[in-house]
Coordinates of all heavy atoms in Angstrom, one line a residue:
M1 N 15.0 -9.3 -6.7 CA 13.7 -9.7 -7.1 C 13.2 -9.0 -8.3 O 13.4 -7.7 -8.4 CB 12.7 -9.6 -5.8 CG 11.5 -10.2 -6.1 SD 10.3 -10.0 -4.6 CE 10.9 -11.3 -3.6
P2 N 12.7 -9.7 -9.2 CA 12.2 -8.9 -10.3 C 11.0 -7.9 -10.0 O 10.3 -8.1 -9.0 CB 11.6 -10.0 -11.3 CG 11.4 -11.2 -10.5 CD 12.3 -11.0 -9.4
D3 N 10.7 -6.9 -10.8 CA 9.8 -5.8 -10.5 C 8.3 -6.3 -10.9 O 8.0 -6.0 -11.9 CB 10.2 -4.6 -11.3 CG 9.3 -3.4 -10.8 OD1 8.7 -3.4 -9.7 OD2 9.3 -2.5 -11.5
I4 N 7.8 -7.0 -9.9 CA 6.6 -7.7 -10.2 C 5.5 -6.7 -9.7 O 5.7 -6.2 -8.5 CB 6.4 -9.1 -9.7 CG1 7.4 -10.0 -10.4 CG2 5.1 -9.6 -9.8 CD1 7.5 -11.3 -9.7
T5 N 4.3 -6.6 -10.2 CA 3.2 -5.9 -9.7 C 2.0 -6.7 -9.9 O 1.8 -7.2 -10.9 CB 2.9 -4.5 -10.5 OG1 4.1 -3.7 -10.3 CG2 1.8 -3.8 -9.8
K6 N 1.2 -7.0 -8.8 CA 0.2 -7.9 -8.7 C -1.0 -7.0 -8.4 O -1.0 -6.0 -7.7 CB 0.1 -8.9 -7.7 CG 1.3 -9.8 -8.0 CD 1.0 -11.0 -8.7 CE 2.1 -12.0 -8.7 NZ 1.7 -13.3 -9.6
K7 N -2.3 -7.2 -9.0 CA -3.5 -6.5 -8.7 C -4.6 -7.3 -8.3 O -4.8 -8.4 -8.9 CB -3.9 -5.7 -10.0 CG -2.7 -4.7 -10.4 CD -3.2 -3.8 -11.5 CE -2.1 -2.8 -11.8 NZ -2.6 -1.9 -12.9
Y8 N -5.4 -6.8 -7.5 CA -6.5 -7.5 -6.8 C -7.6 -6.6 -6.8 O -7.4 -5.6 -6.3 CB -6.4 -8.3 -5.6 CG -4.9 -8.9 -5.6 CD1 -3.7 -8.3 -5.3 CD2 -4.9 -10.4 -5.8 CE1 -2.5 -9.0 -5.3 CE2 -3.7 -11.0 -5.7 CZ -2.5 -10.3 -5.4 OH -1.3 -11.0 -5.3
T9 N -8.9 -7.0 -7.3 CA -10.0 -5.9 -7.3 C -11.3 -6.5 -6.7 O -11.5 -7.7 -6.9 CB -10.3 -5.3 -8.6 OG1 -11.2 -4.3 -8.5 CG2 -10.7 -6.3 -9.6
N10 N -12.1 -5.6 -6.1 CA -13.4 -6.1 -5.7 C -14.4 -5.4 -6.7 O -15.5 -5.4 -6.5 CB -13.7 -5.6 -4.3 CG -13.8 -4.1 -4.1 OD1 -13.6 -3.3 -5.0 ND2 -14.1 -3.6 -2.9
G11 N -13.9 -4.8 -7.8 CA -14.7 -4.2 -8.8 C -14.8 -2.9 -8.7 O -15.1 -2.1 -9.7
E12 N -14.7 -2.3 -7.5 CA -14.7 -0.9 -7.3 C -13.3 -0.3 -6.9 O -13.1 0.9 -7.4 CB -15.5 -0.8 -5.9 CG -16.3 0.7 -5.8 CD -17.2 0.6 -4.6 OE1 -16.8 0.6 -3.5 OE2 -18.5 0.5 -5.0
V13 N -12.6 -0.9 -6.2 CA -11.2 -0.5 -5.8 C -10.2 -1.7 -6.3 O -10.6 -2.8 -6.4 CB -10.9 -0.2 -4.4 CG1 -11.1 -1.4 -3.6 CG2 -9.5 0.4 -4.2
T14 N -9.0 -1.2 -6.8 CA -7.9 -2.2 -7.2 C -6.7 -2.1 -6.3 O -6.2 -1.0 -6.0 CB -7.6 -2.0 -8.6 OG1 -8.7 -2.2 -9.4 CG2 -6.4 -2.9 -9.0
I15 N -6.5 -3.3 -5.6 CA -5.3 -3.2 -4.7 C -4.0 -3.5 -5.6 O -4.1 -4.5 -6.3 CB -5.4 -4.3 -3.6 CG1 -6.7 -4.0 -2.7 CG2 -4.3 -4.4 -2.8 CD1 -7.0 -5.1 -1.8
V16 N -3.1 -2.7 -5.4 CA -1.8 -3.0 -6.1 C -0.7 -3.5 -5.1 O -0.5 -2.9 -4.1 CB -1.3 -1.7 -6.9 CG1 0.0 -2.0 -7.6 CG2 -2.4 -1.2 -7.7
W17 N 0.0 -4.6 -5.4 CA 1.0 -5.1 -4.5 C 2.3 -5.3 -5.2 O 2.2 -6.0 -6.3 CB 0.4 -6.5 -3.9 CG 1.3 -7.1 -2.8 CD1 1.8 -6.3 -1.7 CD2 2.0 -8.3 -2.9 NE1 2.8 -7.1 -1.0 CE2 2.9 -8.3 -1.7 CE3 2.0 -9.3 -3.8 CZ2 3.7 -9.5 -1.5 CZ3 2.8 -10.4 -3.6 CH2 3.6 -10.5 -2.3
K18 N 3.3 -4.7 -4.6 CA 4.7 -4.9 -5.2 C 5.5 -5.7 -4.3 O 6.0 -5.2 -3.1 CB 5.2 -3.5 -5.4 CG 4.5 -2.7 -6.4 CD 5.2 -1.3 -6.6 CE 4.6 -0.6 -7.7 NZ 4.9 -1.0 -9.0
P19 N 5.5 -7.0 -4.5 CA 6.2 -7.9 -3.6 C 7.7 -7.5 -3.3 O 8.3 -7.7 -2.2 CB 6.2 -9.3 -4.3 CG 5.7 -9.0 -5.7 CD 5.0 -7.7 -5.7
A20 N 8.4 -6.8 -4.2 CA 9.9 -6.5 -4.0 C 9.9 -5.3 -3.0 O 11.0 -5.1 -2.5 CB 10.5 -6.1 -5.4
V21 N 8.8 -4.7 -2.8 CA 9.0 -3.6 -1.8 C 8.4 -4.0 -0.4 O 8.7 -3.4 0.6 CB 7.9 -2.5 -2.3 CG1 7.9 -1.2 -1.5 CG2 8.4 -2.0 -3.7
C22 N 7.7 -5.1 -0.4 CA 7.2 -5.6 0.9 C 8.3 -5.8 1.8 O 9.4 -6.6 1.4 CB 6.4 -6.8 0.5 SG 5.7 -7.7 2.1
I23 N 8.2 -5.4 3.1 CA 9.2 -5.7 4.1 C 8.7 -6.8 5.1 O 9.3 -6.9 6.2 CB 9.6 -4.4 4.9 CG1 8.3 -3.7 5.5 CG2 10.3 -3.4 3.9 CD1 8.7 -2.5 6.4
H24 N 7.7 -7.4 4.8 CA 7.1 -8.5 5.5 C 6.8 -8.2 6.9 O 7.1 -8.9 8.0 CB 8.1 -9.8 5.4 CG 8.3 -10.1 4.0 ND1 7.4 -10.7 3.2 CD2 9.5 -9.9 3.2 CE1 7.8 -10.8 1.9 NE2 9.1 -10.4 2.0
S25 N 6.2 -7.0 7.0 CA 5.9 -6.5 8.4 C 4.8 -7.3 9.1 O 4.6 -7.2 10.3 CB 5.5 -5.0 8.4 OG 4.3 -4.9 7.7
T26 N 4.0 -8.0 8.3 CA 2.9 -8.8 8.6 C 1.7 -7.9 9.0 O 0.6 -8.5 9.5 CB 3.1 -9.9 9.7 OG1 3.2 -9.3 11.0 CG2 4.4 -10.7 9.3
I27 N 1.8 -6.6 9.1 CA 0.7 -5.7 9.4 C -0.6 -6.0 8.7 O -1.7 -6.0 9.3 CB 1.1 -4.3 9.4 CG1 2.0 -3.9 10.5 CG2 -0.1 -3.4 9.4 CD1 2.8 -2.6 10.3
C28 N -0.5 -6.2 7.4 CA -1.6 -6.4 6.7 C -2.4 -7.7 6.9 O -3.6 -7.9 6.8 CB -1.4 -6.3 5.2 SG -0.3 -7.6 4.5
W29 N -1.7 -8.7 7.5 CA -2.5 -10.0 7.8 C -2.6 -10.4 9.2 O -3.7 -10.5 9.8 CB -2.0 -11.1 6.8 CG -0.6 -11.5 7.0 CD1 0.4 -10.8 6.3 CD2 0.1 -12.5 7.6 NE1 1.6 -11.3 6.5 CE2 1.5 -12.4 7.4 CE3 -0.4 -13.5 8.4 CZ2 2.4 -13.3 7.9 CZ3 0.5 -14.5 9.0 CH2 1.9 -14.2 8.8
K30 N -1.5 -10.2 10.0 CA -1.5 -10.6 11.4 C -2.3 -9.7 12.1 O -3.0 -9.8 13.0 CB -0.2 -10.8 11.9 CG 0.4 -12.2 11.8 CD 1.7 -12.3 12.6 CE 2.4 -13.7 12.4 NZ 3.7 -13.8 13.0
A31 N -2.1 -8.3 11.8 CA -2.7 -7.3 12.6 C -4.2 -7.0 12.1 O -4.9 -6.3 12.7 CB -1.9 -6.0 12.5
A32 N -4.5 -7.5 10.9 CA -5.8 -7.2 10.3 C -6.8 -8.1 10.8 O -7.3 -8.9 10.2 CB -5.7 -7.3 8.7
T33 N -7.0 -8.1 12.1 CA -7.9 -8.9 12.7 C -9.4 -9.0 12.2 O -10.1 -10.0 12.2 CB -8.1 -8.8 14.2 OG1 -8.3 -7.4 14.4 CG2 -6.7 -9.1 14.9
D34 N -9.7 -7.8 11.6 CA -11.0 -7.8 10.9 C -11.1 -8.1 9.5 O -12.0 -8.1 8.9 CB -11.8 -6.5 11.2 CG -11.1 -5.3 10.8 OD1 -9.7 -5.4 10.4 OD2 -11.5 -4.3 10.6
L35 N -9.9 -8.5 9.0 CA -9.8 -8.8 7.5 C -9.1 -10.1 7.2 O -8.4 -10.1 6.3 CB -9.3 -7.6 6.6 CG -10.0 -6.3 6.6 CD1 -9.3 -5.3 5.8 CD2 -11.4 -6.6 6.1
P36 N -9.2 -11.1 8.1 CA -8.6 -12.2 7.7 C -8.9 -13.0 6.5 O -8.1 -13.8 5.8 CB -8.8 -13.2 8.9 CG -10.1 -12.7 9.5 CD -10.2 -11.3 9.2
Q37 N -10.2 -12.7 6.1 CA -10.7 -13.3 4.8 C -10.0 -12.6 3.5 O -10.0 -13.2 2.6 CB -12.3 -13.3 4.8 CG -12.8 -11.9 4.3 CD -12.8 -10.9 5.4 OE1 -12.2 -11.1 6.5 NE2 -13.5 -9.8 5.2
V38 N -9.5 -11.5 3.7 CA -8.8 -10.7 2.7 C -7.4 -11.0 2.5 O -6.9 -11.5 1.4 CB -9.0 -9.3 2.7 CG1 -8.4 -8.5 1.6 CG2 -10.5 -8.8 2.8
F39 N -6.6 -10.8 3.5 CA -5.2 -11.0 3.5 C -4.8 -12.4 4.1 O -4.9 -12.5 5.4 CB -4.4 -9.9 4.2 CG -4.8 -8.6 3.5 CD1 -5.7 -7.7 4.0 CD2 -4.0 -8.0 2.5 CE1 -6.0 -6.5 3.4 CE2 -4.3 -6.9 1.8 CZ -5.3 -6.1 2.4
N40 N -4.2 -13.4 3.3 CA -3.8 -14.5 3.9 C -2.7 -15.1 3.1 O -2.9 -15.7 2.0 CB -4.9 -15.6 3.9 CG -4.6 -16.9 4.6 OD1 -3.4 -17.2 4.8 ND2 -5.5 -17.7 5.0
P41 N -1.4 -15.0 3.4 CA -0.2 -15.2 2.7 C -0.1 -16.8 2.5 O 0.8 -17.2 1.8 CB 0.8 -14.8 3.4 CG 0.3 -14.6 4.8 CD -1.1 -14.4 4.7
F42 N -0.9 -17.7 3.1 CA -0.7 -19.1 3.1 C -1.6 -19.7 2.0 O -1.5 -21.0 1.8 CB -1.1 -19.8 4.4 CG -0.2 -19.3 5.4 CD1 -0.7 -18.3 6.4 CD2 1.2 -19.4 5.5 CE1 0.3 -17.9 7.5 CE2 2.0 -18.9 6.5 CZ 1.5 -18.1 7.5
I43 N -2.5 -18.8 1.4 CA -3.2 -19.5 0.3 C -3.1 -18.5 -1.0 O -2.7 -17.3 -0.8 CB -4.8 -19.5 0.7 CG1 -5.2 -18.3 1.1 CG2 -4.9 -20.8 1.5 CD1 -6.9 -18.5 1.6
K44 N -3.5 -19.0 -2.1 CA -3.4 -18.1 -3.3 C -4.9 -18.0 -4.0 O -5.6 -19.0 -3.9 CB -2.5 -18.9 -4.4 CG -1.1 -18.8 -4.0 CD -0.2 -19.1 -5.2 CE 1.2 -18.9 -4.7 NZ 2.1 -19.2 -6.0
P45 N -5.2 -16.8 -4.5 CA -4.4 -15.7 -4.3 C -4.5 -15.2 -2.9 O -5.4 -15.4 -2.1 CB -5.1 -14.6 -5.2 CG -6.6 -15.1 -5.3 CD -6.5 -16.6 -5.2
W46 N -3.3 -14.5 -2.4 CA -3.2 -14.2 -1.0 C -4.0 -13.0 -0.6 O -4.3 -12.7 0.6 CB -1.8 -14.0 -0.6 CG -1.1 -12.6 -0.8 CD1 -0.7 -12.2 -2.0 CD2 -0.9 -11.7 0.2 NE1 -0.1 -10.9 -1.9 CE2 -0.3 -10.5 -0.6 CE3 -1.2 -11.5 1.5 CZ2 0.1 -9.4 0.1 CZ3 -0.8 -10.3 2.1 CH2 -0.2 -9.3 1.3
I47 N -4.5 -12.2 -1.7 CA -5.4 -11.1 -1.3 C -6.8 -11.5 -2.1 O -6.8 -11.6 -3.3 CB -4.8 -9.7 -1.9 CG1 -3.5 -9.4 -1.2 CG2 -5.9 -8.6 -1.6 CD1 -2.8 -8.2 -1.6
K48 N -7.9 -11.4 -1.3 CA -9.1 -11.7 -1.9 C -10.0 -10.4 -1.7 O -10.7 -10.2 -0.7 CB -9.9 -12.8 -1.2 CG -9.2 -14.1 -1.6 CD -10.0 -15.4 -1.1 CE -9.4 -16.6 -1.5 NZ -7.9 -16.7 -1.0
A49 N -9.7 -9.5 -2.5 CA -10.3 -8.1 -2.5 C -11.9 -8.0 -2.5 O -12.5 -7.2 -1.8 CB -9.8 -7.2 -3.7
E50 N -12.4 -9.1 -3.2 CA -13.9 -9.2 -3.2 C -14.6 -9.5 -2.0 O -15.8 -9.5 -1.9 CB -14.3 -10.2 -4.4 CG -13.9 -11.6 -4.1 CD -12.5 -12.0 -4.3 OE1 -11.6 -11.2 -4.6 OE2 -12.3 -13.3 -4.2
T51 N -13.8 -9.8 -0.9 CA -14.5 -10.2 0.3 C -14.6 -9.1 1.3 O -14.9 -9.3 2.5 CB -13.7 -11.4 1.0 OG1 -12.4 -11.0 1.2 CG2 -13.7 -12.6 0.1
A52 N -14.2 -7.9 0.9 CA -14.4 -6.8 1.8 C -14.9 -5.6 1.1 O -14.8 -5.4 -0.1 CB -13.1 -6.5 2.5
T53 N -15.4 -4.6 1.8 CA -15.8 -3.3 1.2 C -14.6 -2.5 1.0 O -13.5 -2.7 1.5 CB -16.7 -2.5 2.3 OG1 -15.8 -2.1 3.4 CG2 -17.9 -3.3 2.8
T54 N -14.8 -1.4 0.0 CA -13.7 -0.7 -0.4 C -13.2 0.1 0.7 O -12.0 0.3 0.8 CB -14.4 0.2 -1.6 OG1 -14.7 -0.6 -2.7 CG2 -13.3 1.2 -1.9
E55 N -14.1 0.5 1.5 CA -13.7 1.4 2.7 C -12.7 0.6 3.6 O -11.7 1.0 4.0 CB -14.9 2.0 3.5 CG -14.7 2.8 4.6 CD -15.9 3.1 5.4 OE1 -16.8 2.3 5.4 OE2 -15.9 4.3 6.0
K56 N -13.1 -0.6 3.9 CA -12.3 -1.4 4.9 C -10.8 -1.8 4.2 O -9.8 -1.9 4.8 CB -12.9 -2.8 5.1 CG -14.1 -2.6 6.1 CD -13.5 -2.7 7.5 CE -14.6 -2.6 8.5 NZ -14.0 -2.3 9.9
L57 N -10.9 -1.9 2.9 CA -9.7 -2.3 2.1 C -8.6 -1.2 2.2 O -7.5 -1.2 2.5 CB -9.9 -2.8 0.7 CG -10.6 -4.1 0.5 CD1 -11.2 -4.1 -0.9 CD2 -9.8 -5.2 0.9
I58 N -9.3 0.0 1.8 CA -8.5 1.2 1.9 C -7.9 1.6 3.3 O -6.7 1.9 3.4 CB -9.3 2.5 1.3 CG1 -9.4 2.1 -0.2 CG2 -8.5 3.8 1.6 CD1 -10.4 3.2 -0.8
E59 N -8.6 1.3 4.3 CA -8.2 1.6 5.6 C -7.0 0.7 5.8 O -6.0 1.1 6.5 CB -9.4 1.2 6.5 CG -9.3 1.6 7.9 CD -10.5 1.1 8.7 OE1 -11.6 1.4 8.4 OE2 -10.3 0.5 9.8
Q60 N -7.1 -0.6 5.5 CA -6.0 -1.5 5.7 C -4.7 -1.2 4.9 O -3.6 -1.2 5.4 CB -6.4 -3.0 5.6 CG -5.4 -4.0 6.0 CD -5.0 -3.9 7.5 OE1 -5.9 -3.6 8.4 NE2 -3.7 -3.8 7.8
I61 N -4.9 -0.8 3.6 CA -3.8 -0.6 2.8 C -3.0 0.7 3.3 O -1.8 0.6 3.1 CB -4.3 -0.3 1.3 CG1 -4.9 -1.5 0.7 CG2 -3.3 0.3 0.4 CD1 -5.8 -1.4 -0.5
K62 N -3.7 1.6 3.8 CA -3.0 2.7 4.4 C -2.1 2.5 5.5 O -1.2 3.3 5.8 CB -4.0 3.9 4.7 CG -4.6 4.4 3.5 CD -5.6 5.5 3.9 CE -6.0 6.3 2.7 NZ -7.1 7.3 3.0
K63 N -2.2 1.3 6.1 CA -1.5 1.0 7.2 C 0.0 0.2 6.8 O 0.7 -0.2 7.5 CB -2.2 0.0 8.2 CG -3.3 0.7 8.8 CD -4.1 -0.3 9.7 CE -5.4 0.4 10.4 NZ -6.2 -0.5 10.9
C64 N 0.0 -0.1 5.6 CA 1.2 -0.8 5.0 C 2.4 0.2 5.1 O 2.4 1.4 4.5 CB 1.0 -1.1 3.6 SG 2.6 -1.9 2.8
P65 N 3.4 -0.1 5.9 CA 4.4 0.7 6.3 C 5.5 0.9 5.1 O 6.3 1.9 5.1 CB 5.2 0.1 7.4 CG 5.0 -1.4 7.3 CD 3.6 -1.5 6.7
S66 N 5.6 0.0 4.1 CA 6.6 0.0 3.0 C 6.1 0.7 1.8 O 6.9 1.0 0.9 CB 7.0 -1.4 2.8 OG 5.9 -2.1 2.2
G67 N 4.7 0.8 1.6 CA 4.2 1.2 0.3 C 4.0 0.1 -0.6 O 3.7 0.2 -1.7
A68 N 4.4 -1.1 -0.1 CA 4.1 -2.3 -1.0 C 2.6 -2.4 -1.4 O 2.3 -2.9 -2.6 CB 4.5 -3.5 -0.5
L69 N 1.7 -2.0 -0.6 CA 0.3 -2.0 -0.9 C -0.2 -0.6 -1.2 O 0.2 0.3 -0.5 CB -0.5 -2.5 0.4 CG -0.5 -4.0 0.7 CD1 -1.2 -4.3 2.0 CD2 -1.0 -5.0 -0.5
S70 N -0.9 -0.5 -2.4 CA -1.4 0.8 -2.7 C -2.7 0.5 -3.4 O -3.1 -0.6 -3.5 CB -0.5 1.7 -3.6 OG -0.3 0.9 -4.9
F71 N -3.5 1.5 -3.8 CA -4.7 1.2 -4.4 C -5.1 2.4 -5.3 O -4.5 3.5 -5.4 CB -5.8 1.0 -3.4 CG -6.2 2.3 -2.7 CD1 -7.2 3.2 -3.2 CD2 -5.4 2.7 -1.7 CE1 -7.5 4.3 -2.5 CE2 -5.7 4.0 -1.0 CZ -6.8 4.7 -1.5
Y72 N -6.0 2.0 -6.3 CA -6.7 3.1 -7.1 C -8.2 2.7 -7.2 O -8.5 1.5 -7.1 CB -6.0 3.4 -8.4 CG -6.0 2.1 -9.4 CD1 -7.1 1.8 -10.2 CD2 -4.7 1.4 -9.3 CE1 -7.0 0.8 -11.1 CE2 -4.8 0.3 -10.3 CZ -6.0 0.0 -11.1 OH -5.8 -1.2 -11.9
I73 N -9.0 3.8 -7.3 CA -10.4 3.5 -7.5 C -10.6 3.3 -8.9 O -10.2 4.0 -9.9 CB -11.2 4.8 -7.0 CG1 -11.0 5.1 -5.5 CG2 -12.8 4.5 -7.3 CD1 -11.3 3.9 -4.5
N74 N -11.3 2.2 -9.2 CA -11.6 1.8 -10.7 C -12.5 2.9 -11.3 O -13.2 3.5 -10.7 CB -12.3 0.5 -10.8 CG -11.5 -0.6 -10.2 OD1 -10.3 -0.5 -9.8 ND2 -12.1 -1.8 -10.1
N75 N -12.2 3.2 -12.6 CA -13.0 4.2 -13.4 C -12.8 5.6 -13.0 O -13.6 6.5 -13.2 CB -14.4 3.7 -13.4 CG -14.7 2.4 -14.0 OD1 -13.9 2.0 -14.9 ND2 -15.6 1.7 -13.4
E76 N -11.9 5.9 -12.0 CA -11.6 7.1 -11.6 C -11.0 8.1 -12.7 O -10.2 7.5 -13.6 CB -10.7 7.2 -10.3 CG -10.8 8.5 -9.6 CD -10.0 8.5 -8.2 OE1 -8.7 8.2 -8.3 OE2 -10.5 8.4 -7.3
M77 N -11.3 9.3 -12.8 CA -10.8 10.1 -13.8 C -9.2 10.1 -13.7 O -8.7 10.4 -12.6 CB -11.3 11.5 -13.8 CG -12.8 11.4 -14.2 SD -13.4 13.0 -14.8 CE -12.7 14.3 -13.9
V78 N -8.4 10.0 -14.7 CA -7.1 10.1 -14.8 C -6.8 11.2 -15.7 O -7.1 11.3 -16.8 CB -6.3 8.8 -15.2 CG1 -4.8 9.0 -15.4 CG2 -6.8 7.7 -14.4
N79 N -6.1 12.3 -15.1 CA -5.7 13.5 -16.0 C -6.8 14.0 -16.6 O -6.9 14.5 -17.8 CB -4.7 13.1 -17.0 CG -3.4 12.8 -16.4 OD1 -3.0 13.2 -15.2 ND2 -2.7 11.8 -17.0
G80 N -8.0 14.2 -15.8 CA -9.1 14.8 -16.4 C -10.0 13.9 -17.4 O -10.9 14.3 -17.9
Q81 N -9.5 12.6 -17.7 CA -10.2 11.8 -18.7 C -10.6 10.6 -18.0 O -10.1 10.0 -17.1 CB -9.2 11.5 -19.7 CG -8.4 12.7 -20.3 CD -8.7 12.8 -21.8 OE1 -8.9 11.9 -22.4 NE2 -8.8 14.0 -22.2
L82 N -11.7 10.0 -18.4 CA -12.2 8.7 -17.9 C -11.5 7.6 -18.6 O -11.2 7.7 -19.7 CB -13.7 8.5 -18.2 CG -14.7 9.3 -17.1 CD1 -16.2 9.1 -17.4 CD2 -14.3 8.6 -15.8
Ligands
SF4_1 S1 1.7 -4.4 5.4 FE1 2.9 -4.2 3.5 S2 4.9 -4.4 4.1 FE2 3.6 -5.4 5.6 S3 3.5 -7.5 4.9 FE3 1.7 -6.3 4.1 S4 2.4 -5.7 2.1 FE4 4.2 -6.3 3.2

């Protein structure tokens, strides 16, 4: 699979998804009973980051067992620079 990286943001946090790394555990959508509006692989885009708070998104991303989902906070300092 090509090395594709997709990004989805709610303006505050950006979710990074690497499909080649995803092991299809379904944890992010089947187990995310409180975030069905965010993760839905049956519609496009499959992640709607703008429909949840940053805290809830990060909580769910941390449960991804493969590392396919990661995140960064928008406008966060990188190497001491904005
Ligand atoms: S939790 Fe991670 S590994 Fe599992 S389906 Fe979602 S993105 Fe893929």
Side-chain angles (χ1 to χ4, degrees):
M1 187 181 277
D3 188 20
I4 296 169
T5 299
K6 302 269 192 178
K7 294 183 179 183
Y8 311 85
T9 185
N10 68 357
E12 204 171 75
V13 64
T14 296
I15 299 173
V16 180
W17 183 57
K18 293 179 176 288
V21 180
C22 177
I23 57 171
H24 307 289
S25 68
T26 75
I27 286 172
C28 60
W29 54 281
K30 273 192 184 166
T33 51
D34 59 341
L35 293 177
Q37 79 283 8
V38 176
F39 299 95
N40 184 342
F42 301 108
I43 53 176
K44 286 193 175 184
W46 84 280
I47 298 176
K48 293 188 176 57
E50 69 280 7
T51 61
T53 64
T54 295
E55 186 183 23
K56 285 279 185 190
L57 292 172
I58 291 174
E59 194 179 309
Q60 188 59 45
I61 290 164
K62 286 183 174 176
K63 294 177 184 169
C64 175
S66 67
L69 288 174
S70 60
F71 70 93
Y72 59 84
I73 302 297
N74 298 350
N75 301 322
E76 195 170 67
M77 290 201 323
V78 178
N79 297 326
Q81 310 242 324
L82 276 177

